[in-house]
Amino acid sequence: MTITHLVTHSGGFHADELLSSVVLTRLFPDAELMRTRDRQWITPGADKIIYDVGGAFDAEAQIFDHHQRPGPLRDDEQPYSSFGLIWAHYGRDYLVALGVPETDVEAIHNKFDAKFVLPIDLLDNGAMEPSVAGPLSIMTLPSLLGSLKPVFDDTSPTADDDAFMMALPIARSFVEAQIRNLAAKARAQSIVVASIEKAGTSPILELPMGMPYRSALDKAEADHIMFVVNPRGDDWMLGGIKLSNETFEQRADLPAAWAGLTDANLEEACGVKGAKFCHNARFIAVANSREAIMQMADLAIAELARVAANGQDLSQNDD
């Protein structure tokens, strides 16, 4: 039977049923989204999906609530919210509907679940405190979506429903942006792997364009690569490689003598015609041609070797 209604609770809303609605309205665009606590509507039926209300979880009956006791748990005993339940049941179909290649669906489904869905589940169930984000807790997605609720003295009888429907496309933009990024990273993997193979033992990785590359480097255990080169518009870029996503520290910095210089000053400092810019923090440099940027990359590698040799000499002298 065709799904004609998507049913969640009325009143104030949270991130979990709002994000569940993002998934379900994509899969069932002709279904009416209803916000109600009417017993008739929150009783399972073949033509409706009920979520975050109803006091039961039964995927076959198409009811996905988590407020009952005991509530549904993941295999690792962490609690589900309605978003986690909807994602577990409908997430793969949602990815296919967004155009994710079937070969990437399972991996992206799992990554999105771990990085995006699980934190929503934990926060909604009180299994994680918002304070874990410290002073940035106000910037978490549940807080941002929660800020779209009506103010306390909005007496309009449709205030909650109006706010929910206004928040829905905003929530959709966050979910779909995350999926696009995960899909892009999956597409980049094969390109980066081929580029790593082409680089061989070289410490310089040349890519055909800017793209996510760190996870591919880690998987390939290509620890010998120190810098990445790629075209950027009409220019070429030389970049360092962060040790992880949690730090700005890099495998190697660009030469200290280049820091903060531009144009003629940078050309003079490095001796490369066409050098245009080096960030003061020494994580990126720009030149006007591939030839120029490759010369700068070679100079950066030579400087690393010189610094390493001097450090070894000093250590030996101390002995």
Side-chain angles (χ1 to χ4, degrees):
M1 185 177 290
T2 301
I3 299 297
T4 60
H5 290 86
L6 306 173
V7 184
T8 190
H9 62 80
S10 55
F13 59 85
H14 296 100
D16 66 327
E17 77 268 21
L18 186 60
L19 294 165
S20 297
S21 300
V22 168
V23 173
L24 294 173
T25 54
R26 166 69 71 173
L27 290 175
F28 306 99
D30 296 328
E32 180 182 355
L33 198 164
M34 292 191 63
R35 304 186 71 243
T36 180
R37 294 184 187 273
D38 183 277
R39 178 53 56 185
Q40 180 180 352
W41 279 109
I42 62 174
T43 298
D47 60 348
K48 55 189 170 183
I49 298 173
I50 302 163
Y51 53 103
D52 210 45
V53 69
F57 165 52
D58 184 340
E60 290 188 7
Q62 298 170 168
I63 182 168
F64 301 87
D65 198 11
H66 68 107
H67 295 101
Q68 63 275 13
R69 291 293 177 264
L73 300 175
R74 294 165 176 266
D75 291 341
D76 60 2
E77 301 296 307
Q78 297 190 95
Y80 278 112
S81 74
S82 66
F83 186 34
L85 295 173
I86 291 294
W87 185 253
H89 194 72
Y90 293 103
R92 293 170 182 83
D93 291 339
Y94 175 76
L95 294 175
V96 172
L98 288 182
V100 173
E102 290 201 21
T103 53
D104 296 330
V105 164
E106 192 63 26
I108 290 177
H109 181 273
N110 294 338
K111 286 180 182 178
F112 187 77
D113 183 67
K115 294 179 179 295
F116 194 102
V117 181
L118 177 60
I120 300 292
D121 285 354
L122 297 179
L123 285 166
D124 191 83
N125 282 286
M128 176 190 291
E129 293 292 338
S131 60
V132 298
L136 295 178
S137 61
I138 195 172
M139 299 299 291
T140 62
L141 185 57
S143 293
L144 291 173
L145 295 176
S147 71
L148 301 175
K149 295 178 183 180
V151 293
F152 79 95
D153 52 358
D154 184 341
T155 58
S156 168
T158 62
D160 286 319
D161 289 345
D162 292 344
F164 185 95
M165 297 310 294
M166 180 186 72
L168 184 56
I170 297 172
R172 186 184 310 282
S173 67
F174 280 110
V175 173
E176 293 187 356
Q178 288 291 322
I179 298 301
R180 284 196 303 272
N181 284 325
L182 289 172
K185 287 180 180 178
R187 293 194 304 273
Q189 285 284 319
S190 59
I191 299 173
V192 178
V193 167
S195 297
I196 292 171
E197 292 176 355
K198 184 177 180 181
T201 60
S202 171
I204 302 166
L205 176 66
E206 182 176 352
L207 298 174
M209 64 187 74
M211 64 181 67
Y213 59 81
R214 255 209 62 244
S215 63
L217 280 180
D218 291 343
K219 287 180 182 177
E221 298 182 344
D223 298 335
H224 63 287
I225 293 178
M226 296 290 110
F227 297 107
V228 174
V229 164
N230 60 264
R232 188 180 69 174
D234 294 332
D235 293 325
W236 282 73
M237 186 182 76
L238 168 63
I241 299 169
K242 291 199 300 183
L243 294 179
S244 75
N245 290 328
E246 285 72 47
T247 181
F248 289 110
E249 189 177 355
Q250 303 181 116
R251 294 184 179 183
D253 294 325
L254 294 171
W258 302 358
L261 299 182
T262 60
D263 301 327
N265 290 331
L266 180 57
E267 287 185 341
E268 182 178 356
C270 68
V272 176
K273 187 69 174 176
K276 296 179 68 172
F277 166 78
C278 181
H279 196 282
N280 195 49
R282 299 157 56 199
F283 65 87
I284 183 175
V286 177
N288 65 5
S289 69
R290 179 183 180 277
E291 181 183 7
I293 208 69
M294 294 305 290
Q295 289 180 37
M296 294 177 74
D298 288 339
L299 289 169
I301 293 299
E303 176 69 4
L304 285 178
R306 185 189 67 79
V307 170
N310 284 347
Q312 189 175 33
D313 289 344
L314 288 173
S315 175
Q316 291 173 349
N317 289 338
D318 288 342
D319 292 341

